[in-house]
């Protein structure tokens, strides 16, 4: 696979989230499979993970510490190529827990069979945003 990771500090965003608001992290990116003829599929990946604590040493045990994530969101899309210049927008979302200190963003492409050669897959226009909305009241329905 070919993956790109980015650590994003979320601590300074806490002051922008009101006590009666829910916060959602949203990661969007455009993906392109540049193979001009249909072929064996590849899978595009757009995902994010939220953690609490310090991010300094997270790389030392990656990916085994994924089980420590307190939130995550992912979207995957398969592509067989063959459609030149057709970008595909993928968007993943994750509810941001109050104790979320940092996020790890992952963008990538994976082979679905070993004989697939990677190199003509691209990503562009990556956006990570925080969206807030009023907390909705909860009700119990008998």
């Amino acid at each position: 696979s070919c993956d790109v990771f980015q650590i994003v500090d979320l601590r300074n965003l806490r002051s922008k989230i009101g006590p009666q608001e829910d916060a959602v992290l949203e990661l969007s990116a455009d993906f392109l499979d540049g193979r001009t003829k249909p072929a064996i599929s590849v899978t595009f990946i757009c995902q994010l993970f939220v953690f609490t604590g310090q991010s300094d040493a997270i790389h030392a045990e990656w990916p085994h510490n994924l089980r420590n994530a307190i939130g995550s969101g992912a979207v995957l899309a398969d592509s067989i190529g063959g459609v030149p210049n057709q970008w595909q927008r993928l968007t993943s979302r994750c509810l941001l827990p109050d104790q979320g200190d940092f996020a790890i963003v992952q963008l990538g492409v994976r082979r679905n069979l070993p004989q697939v050669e990677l190199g003509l897959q691209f990503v562009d226009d990556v956006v990570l945003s925080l969206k807030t909305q009023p907390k909705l009241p909860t009700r119990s329905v008998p």
Side-chain angles (χ1 to χ4, degrees):
S1 71
C2 180
D3 299 287
V4 176
F5 297 90
Q6 177 71 48
I7 296 174
V8 180
D9 189 342
L10 302 172
R11 292 172 292 182
N12 62 348
L13 296 177
R14 287 188 181 133
S15 63
K16 301 188 183 339
I17 303 168
Q20 297 303 317
E21 291 182 313
D22 283 326
V24 175
L25 281 178
E26 184 175 283
L27 173 66
S28 297
D30 292 336
F31 291 87
L32 173 68
D33 189 342
R35 297 176 294 172
T36 57
K37 296 180 181 169
I40 298 171
S41 72
V42 296
T43 301
F44 290 116
I45 304 156
C46 180
Q47 58 187 354
L48 55 112
F49 307 94
V50 178
F51 294 87
T52 189
Q54 298 296 319
S55 65
D56 300 346
I58 193 121
H59 67 281
E61 294 185 39
W62 191 263
H64 303 290
N65 44 13
L66 279 173
R67 65 181 173 272
N68 299 328
I70 59 173
S72 65
V75 63
L76 309 174
D78 288 335
S79 173
I80 60 169
V83 185
N85 300 318
Q86 183 176 355
W87 290 86
Q88 181 177 7
R89 187 90 174 152
L90 298 182
T91 302
S92 60
R93 293 173 185 84
C94 174
L95 189 63
L96 179 59
D98 293 337
Q99 62 274 48
D101 292 318
F102 66 97
I104 295 182
V105 169
Q106 179 184 6
L107 301 169
V109 61
R110 293 210 175 122
R111 306 171 195 229
N112 292 333
L113 290 175
Q115 58 267 50
V116 176
E117 185 174 333
L118 298 178
L120 292 174
Q121 292 75 31
F122 305 92
V123 64
D124 195 11
D125 196 20
V126 179
V127 177
L128 178 65
S129 56
L130 176 73
K131 297 187 175 187
T132 59
Q133 64 185 29
K135 287 186 179 181
L136 299 175
T138 56
R139 295 184 199 171
S140 296
V141 178

